Amino acid sequence: MDVAHCYLDGNPDVVEFCPHDSFHHVLAASTYTLQEGDRPSRTGSVSLFNVNADVGRLDLLHRVDTSGVFDMKWNPVSGSVSPLLAQADADGYLRLHRLESSADGSEVQEVPFASLLLHYMCPLIWNLHLNVLDAGNGLKEINGEKVSSSMCLCLDWNPAATSISLGLSDGSISIVSLRESQTTVIQEWKAHEFEVWATCFDIHQPELVYTGSDDCRFSCWDLRCDPSELAFQNTKVHGMGVCCIAKSPSDPHTLLTGSYDEHLRVWDVRSISKPMVETSICLGGGVWRIKQHPFVPGLVLAACMHNGFAIVKVKGGKAEVTETYTKHDSLAYGADWQRESPCQDGKSKRPVVATCSFYDRLLRVWMPESESLHDGAFDHNY
């Protein structure tokens, strides 16, 4: 069921719902636009939206111009760490923004996301009766680290939110530590022959990082060595470049990969030196991004480039498509689940999804209708 949609002023490639409590309604969307010519440039933007699916609202809070953004992620919920948004961009920068409020309730000072300052936004939001940020909150850039002269293409946080892995256009990987708002490159090495489109910490064994590249290689690296040591490398399974990697949060042995060859693959990584493909499914388009459902084990949202979006159920060594969404007319790149509780007043709530497509500049918010989301499969400990 469609909730709302809007058109952005650039080519959207990433959408990310904030996972932190009290901020589940906040959606970040980023763009990457290539300006060709004698002096080509890669420009972009980051926009913040308030999503209220109950009343069908998608309200823009703020948009900021930046260099072209290839990837961004909110930090995982870890202890008392405040929401941080990490951005990997075309200028080789890792940028960090914090969602914060001043201790005395006064307005936050001028920052890159100045229009988000809630002394402007709160009256409007209050009138709309929307559950959004409290007065005094803002999104503040706390660090901008020039990591490489190459483009930063992808990123991932470790589970403790103390370091970030970055995949670069020259085939390198950088590991950046975060301590007291300061970032430091602590490791970097040549991991692949071509562009690295996927990097992923193992959330159950955070000393391991998985990477995937245009060279069709799927690799795992042991960060306990410096530089990182290759734990395994598979060069035969993916028929084209590896676009995305996601570890199952509910099963420490299961990992998923997506590829330009249109297949979503489910791996068993119990034998870390030689993981096995348990099953694969063709989704009819390059599998650019995969997102695990925050509450339903084995339920995956996939952005399938030329074939829209798919919801896939992975269970018992099998994978099947339970629902497709084809209301985008361009490359399906960005997708995410909202993290709100699946139950309200003792009743199951229909989950909310955000998706975006590249050339038509379209952002959509919708609710899946698949019965697999309403069959009592919710696990509150997941």
Side-chain angles (χ1 to χ4, degrees):
M1 180 179 74
D2 290 323
V3 173
H5 73 276
C6 70
Y7 292 91
L8 303 184
D9 63 345
N11 305 119
D13 53 2
V14 188
V15 288
E16 289 282 321
F17 275 108
C18 185
H20 294 257
D21 290 343
S22 303
F23 301 102
H24 292 162
H25 55 276
V26 176
L27 173 69
S30 67
T31 67
Y32 167 85
T33 303
L34 174 62
Q35 305 287 344
E36 297 183 305
D38 295 335
R39 300 179 64 183
S41 64
R42 295 175 172 87
T43 60
S45 63
V46 177
S47 300
L48 291 187
F49 294 88
N50 175 80
V51 176
N52 190 327
D54 292 336
V55 296
R57 296 299 298 259
L58 175 65
D59 295 291
L60 177 66
L61 298 176
H62 177 71
R63 187 189 67 83
V64 63
D65 292 326
T66 181
S67 53
V69 181
F70 284 104
D71 198 11
M72 63 177 180
K73 287 186 176 70
W74 296 97
N75 60 330
V77 178
S78 178
S80 60
V81 177
S82 60
L84 298 175
L85 183 63
Q87 166 189 327
D89 65 37
D91 288 344
Y93 274 83
L94 168 66
R95 301 187 187 277
L96 294 176
H97 309 275
R98 176 184 286 132
L99 200 59
E100 62 179 18
S101 64
S102 56
D104 61 359
S106 62
E107 66 185 50
V108 179
Q109 297 302 309
E110 188 78 9
V111 294
F113 288 93
S115 315
L116 182 61
L117 300 182
L118 272 285
H119 67 280
Y120 292 119
M121 298 304 301
C122 276
L124 171 61
I125 294 169
W126 181 261
N127 290 336
L128 293 175
H129 302 287
L130 300 178
N131 178 26
V132 293
L133 310 177
D134 293 330
N137 288 300
L139 193 61
K140 178 181 180 181
E141 182 174 338
I142 61 172
N143 196 284
E145 175 87 6
K146 178 74 171 180
V147 175
S148 174
S149 58
S150 298
M151 296 183 290
C152 293
L153 302 181
C154 58
L155 66 87
D156 193 38
W157 292 83
N158 74 338
T162 56
S163 63
I164 295 172
S165 60
L166 285 163
L168 308 177
S169 60
D170 67 355
S172 298
I173 298 293
S174 290
I175 305 297
V176 180
S177 71
L178 174 63
R179 297 185 185 277
E180 297 180 351
S181 302
Q182 297 300 312
T183 56
T184 305
V185 177
I186 57 174
Q187 286 196 50
E188 51 188 0
W189 69 95
K190 181 74 170 180
H192 292 274
E193 294 295 322
F194 305 123
E195 292 90 343
V196 179
W197 290 116
T199 179
C200 174
F201 276 95
D202 189 315
I203 57 178
H204 302 99
Q205 302 179 79
E207 69 275 8
L208 301 178
V209 168
Y210 304 98
T211 60
S213 166
D214 264 355
D215 61 12
C216 306
R217 296 179 179 181
F218 167 43
S219 306
C220 178
W221 307 88
D222 190 335
L223 298 183
R224 291 170 293 189
C225 305
D226 189 9
S228 293
E229 186 174 284
L230 188 64
F232 77 79
Q233 187 171 83
N234 184 288
T235 62
K236 298 179 180 179
V237 168
H238 298 93
M240 300 178 73
V242 181
C243 305
C244 52
I245 303 170
K247 187 74 186 293
S248 169
S250 61
D251 182 351
H253 309 308
T254 299
L255 178 145
L256 290 83
T257 60
S259 171
Y260 288 119
D261 67 12
E262 303 185 354
H263 282 77
L264 174 71
R265 292 179 173 84
V266 182
W267 296 76
D268 185 329
V269 294
R270 269 175 284 196
S271 176
I272 198 63
S273 62
K274 194 175 181 181
M276 301 293 292
V277 178
E278 283 191 316
T279 188
S280 67
I281 184 172
C282 181
L283 298 183
V287 184
W288 180 257
R289 199 174 302 274
I290 44 182
K291 289 295 185 74
Q292 302 272 0
H293 191 281
F295 303 110
V296 183
L299 201 66
V300 178
L301 173 65
C304 305
M305 296 183 71
H306 295 285
N307 198 38
F309 299 86
I311 295 175
V312 180
K313 183 67 175 179
V314 178
K315 186 176 182 180
K318 296 181 180 180
E320 63 173 336
V321 175
T322 64
E323 186 170 346
T324 58
Y325 187 80
T326 58
K327 295 186 179 181
H328 289 265
D329 296 323
S330 180
L331 287 173
Y333 272 163
D336 200 17
W337 305 92
Q338 193 174 32
R339 269 72 166 182
E340 284 191 332
S341 172
C343 296
Q344 187 177 58
D345 299 327
K347 298 180 180 180
S348 295
K349 285 184 63 178
R350 197 172 291 275
V352 177
V353 166
T355 52
C356 66
S357 43
F358 197 68
Y359 292 114
D360 59 3
R361 303 187 172 190
L362 181 58
L363 168 65
R364 286 187 175 274
V365 176
W366 49 283
M367 294 182 179
E369 299 179 359
S370 172
E371 290 303 316
S372 63
L373 291 163
H374 311 284
D375 59 5
F378 293 115
D379 180 355
H380 291 278
N381 297 316
Y382 179 33

